[in-house]
Amino acid sequence: MRPIAVGIVWRRIAGKITCYNVRDKLVEKLKPVQLGFGVEGGAEALVYAVRKFCTFKHNGPMALVKFDFGNAFNMLFRKFMLGEVKDICPEFLSLMQQAYRLFSNLYFLDETLFSKRGFQQGDPLGPPGFCIGIMKMTHSLLSGLNGWFLDDGTIGDRISVILEDIKKVLDFCDISGLPLNKKKCEVFSVNATAEEEDNMNAEISALLLGSSIFESGLERMFSSKIEKIKLMCDRLKLMDVHPALCIFRKSLGRCRFNYLLRSSKAYLLHDHLSTVDEMFRSTLEAIANVRMSEFSWDQATLPLAFGGVRYSEG
């Protein structure tokens, strides 16, 4: 078990300063395999790499495997993690030992529980610490396609190579404490022939890091996202103006949806994008309680320094 959150300000500041100081050095060790820490656009890069692998004309049958560790940040053995930190990034070791060398006490009524595994939720050291913990395993895999975003891994190669790498991952699970989430692990066949490619595309409406790998899955992915965005927009209209505007700018228009635009062929779904634009516009009008002209709506796409709200049109 682990604490719900790291709430001490000084602890969080110390963690962020440490991450900043070692970021460049650690990223050089992690990339190009691990893209989950310090790599700008890492998620999009992994999605494009997997898409390219699946559509490339290979000489023979290939396989694609997606790994997902169950409850990963909660399950990594701390002793194992500290050993990896000592070997790979000793600059982290002092702060990591201070935080994770001893068990943490969790208090529930009159009971005291011990937090023995995983990272404390909200700890800035969690993502880099996890990447370090699995680095030797991820870098030992021999598949031609080998990409990870934190605990989400994707490998692709010939069947014989894939089987050897799967054995390595399973052996690593035994010594690290990380269990594979079998319900989310997936295996797909990738072949060069047109017939097999059609079968693959029909089989995979697969999502990788929330983005559709193939065009066949775009419709379903965007329909699902639009429903969620509509629900959030409806709820924003019930909030006070300032928090609603902050959430609209930082979450809806800036991060989550724009990631889908960058990582998928969203330009093929013009009607869906028009629906989302209109949804965002009506939400901003309701929050600000104004009727926006076309000029005002164009201005909303600008950064704050230029009088906009940094919303990006689809």
Side-chain angles (χ1 to χ4, degrees):
M1 299 185 67
R2 64 174 181 169
I4 295 176
V6 175
I8 301 177
V9 174
W10 300 115
R11 163 75 183 283
R12 294 177 62 84
I13 292 177
K16 290 181 179 181
I17 292 174
T18 304
C19 289
Y20 178 81
N21 288 336
V22 303
R23 171 180 171 175
D24 293 341
K25 180 179 178 180
L26 182 56
V27 167
E28 288 301 317
K29 294 181 179 181
L30 295 174
K31 70 178 187 182
V33 176
Q34 176 61 259
L35 305 175
F37 172 74
V39 180
E40 185 176 355
E44 295 97 305
L46 183 54
V47 172
Y48 277 101
V50 172
R51 184 178 296 130
K52 182 66 176 179
F53 174 83
C54 292
T55 56
F56 186 78
K57 298 300 182 181
H58 301 282
N59 293 328
M62 297 282 182
L64 179 75
V65 178
K66 292 169 56 181
F67 294 109
D68 184 82
F69 293 113
N71 205 16
F73 278 70
N74 291 342
M75 301 301 292
L76 187 64
F77 288 147
R78 291 181 178 177
K79 184 177 180 179
F80 173 83
M81 177 269 295
L82 291 174
E84 298 299 289
V85 171
K86 182 179 179 180
D87 292 341
I88 298 171
C89 190
E91 296 88 346
F92 262 142
L93 187 60
S94 296
L95 190 55
M96 282 288 195
Q97 283 186 328
Q98 186 180 33
Y100 297 109
R101 185 178 71 254
L102 302 176
F103 299 152
S104 303
N105 294 331
L106 306 179
Y107 301 102
F108 178 73
L109 299 178
D110 296 330
E111 300 291 332
T112 301
L113 307 175
F114 295 110
S115 174
K116 300 181 179 181
R117 299 171 66 171
F119 295 93
Q120 297 162 349
Q121 188 173 353
D123 187 359
L125 299 179
F130 183 84
C131 292
I132 293 171
I134 67 173
M135 191 186 101
K136 290 181 180 178
M137 179 274 292
T138 58
H139 284 60
S140 71
L141 304 182
L142 300 178
S143 296
L145 172 67
N146 180 21
W148 293 74
F149 192 87
L150 297 176
D151 62 320
D152 293 305
T154 306
I155 61 174
D157 209 306
R158 302 187 310 275
I159 302 296
S160 58
V161 179
I162 289 293
L163 291 176
E164 290 298 321
D165 282 348
I166 291 177
K167 291 178 182 178
K168 292 180 181 179
V169 174
L170 293 176
D171 291 340
F172 174 78
C173 291
D174 294 334
I175 63 174
S176 66
L178 292 175
L180 281 176
N181 186 347
K182 297 180 181 180
K183 293 183 179 180
K184 290 188 177 181
C185 293
E186 300 174 287
V187 181
F188 305 109
S189 61
V190 181
N191 293 289
T193 65
E195 180 181 356
E196 291 295 335
E197 185 175 316
D198 290 340
N199 292 336
M200 177 187 65
N201 289 341
E203 178 185 4
I204 303 179
S205 54
L207 296 180
L208 180 64
L209 302 178
S211 183
S212 177
I213 299 176
F214 294 101
E215 296 178 15
S216 58
L218 277 176
E219 183 79 26
R220 186 168 65 178
M221 180 193 73
F222 266 87
S223 297
S224 174
K225 296 298 181 183
I226 287 175
E227 289 299 319
K228 293 179 180 179
I229 291 174
K230 182 178 184 302
L231 178 61
M232 294 183 68
C233 287
D234 291 341
R235 290 176 176 175
L236 284 180
K237 297 174 184 178
L238 304 177
M239 298 175 61
D240 292 335
V241 173
H242 184 69
L245 187 60
C246 286
I247 294 175
F248 176 83
R249 181 174 64 86
K250 293 180 178 295
S251 181
L252 285 180
R254 182 60 183 166
C255 299
R256 299 188 179 186
F257 190 74
N258 281 5
Y259 163 72
L260 298 179
L261 300 183
R262 296 193 302 267
S263 61
S264 66
K265 297 183 179 181
Y267 55 85
L268 298 175
L269 301 177
H270 185 269
D271 292 341
H272 286 71
L273 297 180
S274 298
T275 299
V276 173
D277 274 341
E278 184 58 36
M279 195 181 304
F280 282 166
R281 179 171 181 170
S282 63
T283 300
L284 185 58
E285 288 178 339
I287 293 174
N289 196 26
V290 295
R291 185 69 178 176
M292 304 186 72
S293 64
E294 290 299 325
F295 176 79
S296 299
W297 183 235
D298 289 339
Q299 187 179 6
T301 65
L302 300 176
L304 290 176
F306 295 97
V309 295
R310 210 173 185 178
Y311 159 76
S312 297
E313 292 182 285

